[in-house]
């Protein structure tokens, strides 16, 4: 008679034989967007958060086009904080015909020190939503936060860059962005996003087919023994 332990052993054997068909290299993190690597950080950029000198709040929204499909695993930005270094609550928004669309998820970043003469803020993440390669998204700074600066970088920018600025009270979705820029290739904000690649459906189908086929062979041999 077949016991639960023998069934578990059979399933484990099936998985061990079938899952190598899904390439581990295909699951490595990929770069979805990068204006930092090979670029020079400039000494100017855009302010965001609360500015005591003008007694207002400013939001910076930066548009990018993802170059890969996957779940966000990391974000690095040339963001400096004028107050004590800490955490900045960045957010990911969908693109709606070139405008800031619906909120997707929070992407908090923390001060990560100085590199190449500039401050960097970074974050690591797990889970969704899934970024689609070729689709546009927005990274938006918080409305109420310590005053900070998103430094510009010089170099070749991936396509799709836009920069929106908004001042005033209210949620991001209700703000009227009073300054809009279609950024040229030579003008970008420092941003690098990595994603965890999702195996193609064909790879999963092949793995499951292998599980079923191998499982059938193992089960037949066990029962006939």
């Amino acid at each position: 008679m077949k016991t639960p332990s023998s069934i578990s052993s059979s399933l484990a054997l099936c998985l061990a034989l079938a899952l190598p068909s899904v390439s581990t290299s295909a699951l490595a993190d990929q770069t979805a967007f990068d204006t930092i690597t090979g670029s020079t950080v400039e000494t100017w950029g855009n302010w965001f958060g609360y500015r005591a000198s003008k007694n207002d709040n400013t939001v910076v929204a930066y548009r990018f086009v993802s170059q890969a499909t996957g779940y966000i695993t990391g974000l690095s930005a040339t963001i400096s904080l004028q107050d004590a270094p800490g955490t900045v609550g960045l957010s990911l928004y969908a693109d709606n015909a070139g405008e800031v669309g619906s909120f997707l998820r929070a992407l908090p970043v923390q001060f990560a020190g100085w590199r190449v003469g500039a401050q960097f803020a970074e974050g690591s993440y797990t889970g969704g939503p899934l970024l689609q390669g070729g689709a546009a998204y927005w990274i938006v700074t918080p409305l109420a936060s310590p005053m900070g600066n998103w430094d510009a970088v010089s170099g070749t920018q991936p396509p799709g860059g836009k920069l929106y600025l908004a001042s005033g009270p209210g949620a991001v979705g209700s703000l009227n962005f009073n300054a809009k820029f279609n950024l040229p290739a030579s003008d970008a904000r420092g941003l690098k996003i990595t994603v965890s690649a999702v195996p193609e459906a064909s790879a999963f189908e092949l793995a499951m087919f292998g599980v079923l086929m191998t499982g059938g062979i193992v089960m037949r041999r066990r029962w006939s023994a």
Side-chain angles (χ1 to χ4, degrees):
M1 179 180 295
K2 197 165 186 64
T3 65
S5 60
S6 62
I7 295 176
S8 298
S9 299
S10 298
L11 291 176
L13 177 61
C14 294
L15 290 173
L17 293 174
L19 288 181
S21 62
V22 180
S23 173
T24 55
S25 62
L27 299 177
D29 283 358
Q30 300 184 44
T31 299
F33 188 80
D34 187 6
T35 59
I36 294 177
T37 303
S39 298
T40 301
V41 181
E42 301 294 346
T43 57
W44 52 273
N46 296 100
W47 296 104
F48 64 86
Y50 178 73
R51 295 184 295 179
S53 60
K54 295 188 177 182
N55 192 30
D56 69 358
N57 292 287
T58 300
V59 169
V60 175
Y62 184 54
R63 183 179 185 264
F64 70 96
V65 175
S66 179
Q67 305 299 302
T69 297
Y71 298 100
I72 296 180
T73 57
L75 184 153
S76 179
T78 52
I79 286 179
S80 59
L81 296 179
Q82 302 307 303
D83 298 326
T87 301
V88 177
L90 301 180
S91 297
L92 176 70
Y93 282 76
D95 181 77
N96 182 16
E99 303 289 332
V100 179
S102 58
F103 171 82
L104 295 178
R105 70 163 296 172
L107 295 172
V109 292
Q110 292 184 327
F111 176 69
W114 290 80
R115 297 199 300 273
V116 295
Q119 287 190 43
F120 278 76
E122 298 178 343
S124 299
Y125 320 97
T126 58
L130 184 72
L131 262 61
Q132 297 290 343
Y137 301 90
W138 293 82
I139 297 295
V140 181
T141 66
L143 178 66
S145 69
M147 185 172 67
N149 189 66
W150 195 338
D151 292 328
V153 296
S154 60
T156 301
Q157 174 178 260
K162 287 187 177 182
L163 186 72
Y164 286 3
L165 303 176
S167 299
V172 172
S174 64
L175 284 172
N176 177 26
F177 287 96
N178 49 34
K180 300 183 178 183
F181 308 95
N182 290 318
L183 297 176
S186 60
D187 185 8
R189 299 301 171 269
L191 176 65
K192 181 176 181 178
I193 295 176
T194 57
V195 297
S196 178
V198 178
E200 296 181 1
S202 58
F204 277 121
E205 291 168 0
L206 180 60
M208 292 309 298
F209 178 75
V211 169
L212 294 174
M213 291 296 293
T214 309
I217 295 173
V218 171
M219 295 291 283
R220 183 185 305 173
R221 289 179 177 177
R222 293 259 178 160
W223 282 111
S224 60

